[in-house]
Amino acid sequence: MQPVNIGIIGCGNISDTYFNGAKGSDLVRVKACADLRTEAAQAKALQHGVCAMSVQALLDDPDIEIVVNLTVPQAHAPVSEQILAAGKHVYLEKPLASDFGAAQRLLAHAATRGLRVGCAPDTFLGAGHQACRAAIDAGRIGRPIGGSVAMLSRGMESWHPNPEFFFKPGGGPMHDVGVYYVTQLVNLLGPVARVSGCASVGLPQRTVGSEPLRGQVIDVEVPTTVNGVLEFVNGANVAMSVSWDVWAHQRAPIEIYGTEGSLLGVDPNWFGGTPRLSERGGPWQPMDISAHPFGVENYTPNAGARVANYRGVGLTEMVLAMHRGRPHRACGALALHVLEVLDAFGRSSGNGRHLGIECKIDRPEPVPIGADENVFL
């Protein structure tokens, strides 16, 4: 099949990941990019060898079939609505929208037009996470009973060049990073049935420590510490803690406990890593992920060791799913279910009750064994 032409709207910090991911794919080609800041679009166009356009010109281009929406969370829904109105499929960064109602309307709009919506995170497609799923599906820990999740740090204002949106509606540690963990839990355990939560604001203001906005003060409008419990349709329950108020901790990213053993998962912000398994109280054993795609270390973040980073593979999988006429994995329905779960933590904290999750979905299909995006053929 010929590569599908895509456009990118939003030329901020995350856009390089999508430009570079497309260069490594045989399935997509970035034709153009756009941003409300003309200079940002022109800079990315020059850097990556594509055309810089206005947003409207990009939407009007008949060669562009899919538009990747990389705007700030508050703009996700309105910009995606524009993309759909132009008759184009949309793939966007998480979260699907800054509120659940807008996300529902977005998917309803797409359905009426026969268009697809894909949404990050797609890290659950990675080798480390798919190896964990394969172990659970094979019964190596028996029936999943419980688990624990922890995403604890000091936040984004120390390093991100423009961190204000992280502390506004649609941001916060739950919606910005907790989304990776909840998506992976759905991949491992299936859909969530109900949620209880307790949320608070650690610091009412944050001071930017990075250039070019060093010293700017941000008013915090979202919870920055959230604790709670997810109960899954399969009966398992998982304790979850996310915070941007923590200096240090020693908790694992994801642990799943079953009737026959325990599973120590890997950081769902990346694709690889080495999960470990303990069967019936035995020693922790590293799991081999080499048979699964998207696990080879290929990227060095600003701080830390090399990791497997294949962000954008959800987009290429969506392209192949369109070509084959089948559902895609990092789909709008999954993102909507996860968004309802994320929102439920805050709503539960406000009213002091368990909240049932109304958006019903099935687990995404597992990723076949093999190498690279050819596994989706």
Side-chain angles (χ1 to χ4, degrees), residues 27 58 88 116 118 127 147 153 160 183 206 213 239 242 281 301 364 369:
L27 300 175
L58 188 151
K88 302 183 188 301
R116 297 208 184 209
S153 74
H160 195 280
T183 303
R206 300 275 177 143
L213 302 176
V242 300
I369 297 293

Side-chain angles (χ1 to χ4, degrees), residues 46-81:
L46 181 63
Q47 179 182 348
H48 295 285
V50 304
C51 299
M53 294 183 175
S54 68
V55 171
Q56 193 59 54
L58 188 151
L59 294 176
D60 290 340
D61 190 323
D63 292 337
I64 293 175
E65 188 173 347
I66 301 173
V67 178
V68 179
N69 180 357
L70 304 181
T71 58
V72 297
Q74 297 92 328
H76 281 185
V79 172
S80 294
E81 292 282 6

Side-chain angles (χ1 to χ4, degrees), residues 61-307:
D61 190 323
D63 292 337
I64 293 175
E65 188 173 347
I66 301 173
V67 178
V68 179
N69 180 357
L70 304 181
T71 58
V72 297
Q74 297 92 328
H76 281 185
V79 172
S80 294
E81 292 282 6
Q82 285 183 272
I83 295 167
L84 295 173
K88 302 183 188 301
H89 308 283
V90 59
Y91 186 92
L92 66 157
E93 258 299 321
K94 46 73 185 168
L96 187 59
S98 58
D99 70 86
F100 184 67
Q104 286 181 305
R105 292 189 293 273
L106 176 65
L107 294 191
H109 184 186
T112 62
R113 288 180 168 267
L115 295 169
R116 297 208 184 209
V117 176
C119 187
D122 54 4
T123 51
F124 73 95
L125 302 174
H129 312 299
Q130 291 294 315
C132 290
R133 169 156 179 179
I136 291 174
D137 290 352
R140 294 189 64 185
I141 65 168
R143 177 174 58 86
I145 295 173
S148 174
V149 163
M151 192 297 297
L152 309 168
S153 74
R154 285 300 296 174
M156 310 298 217
E157 73 274 18
S158 66
W159 63 269
H160 195 280
N162 188 18
E164 183 174 17
F165 73 89
F166 289 113
F167 301 97
K168 303 300 179 182
M174 184 61 80
H175 284 74
D176 187 69
V177 191
V179 61
Y180 293 96
Y181 293 75
V182 175
T183 303
Q184 167 63 341
L185 288 174
V186 174
N187 171 53
L188 295 179
L189 301 174
V192 178
R194 64 176 185 164
V195 168
S196 64
C198 182
S200 63
V201 176
L203 298 171
Q205 293 183 321
R206 300 275 177 143
T207 301
V208 180
S210 56
E211 299 297 343
L213 302 176
R214 183 185 297 273
Q216 177 177 303
V217 175
I218 301 169
D219 291 324
V220 177
E221 298 179 18
V222 291
T224 51
T225 292
V226 182
N227 290 283
V229 177
L230 304 91
E231 182 179 335
F232 292 80
V233 172
N234 71 357
N237 62 79
V238 174
M240 184 168 183
S241 298
V242 300
S243 179
W244 282 341
D245 299 314
V246 174
W247 285 105
H249 71 96
Q250 290 186 317
R251 295 178 61 185
I254 293 180
E255 295 186 5
I256 304 296
Y257 317 127
T259 56
E260 301 296 324
S262 298
L263 178 68
L264 188 62
V266 291
D267 185 352
N269 197 39
W270 307 109
F271 286 71
T274 303
R276 292 185 288 164
L277 189 73
S278 169
E279 297 180 89
R280 299 189 67 83
W284 289 106
Q285 299 292 337
M287 295 169 57
D288 182 9
I289 70 169
S290 61
H292 298 271
F294 317 119
V296 177
E297 295 169 355
N298 62 351
Y299 175 74
T300 304
N302 291 334
R306 284 181 66 79
V307 295

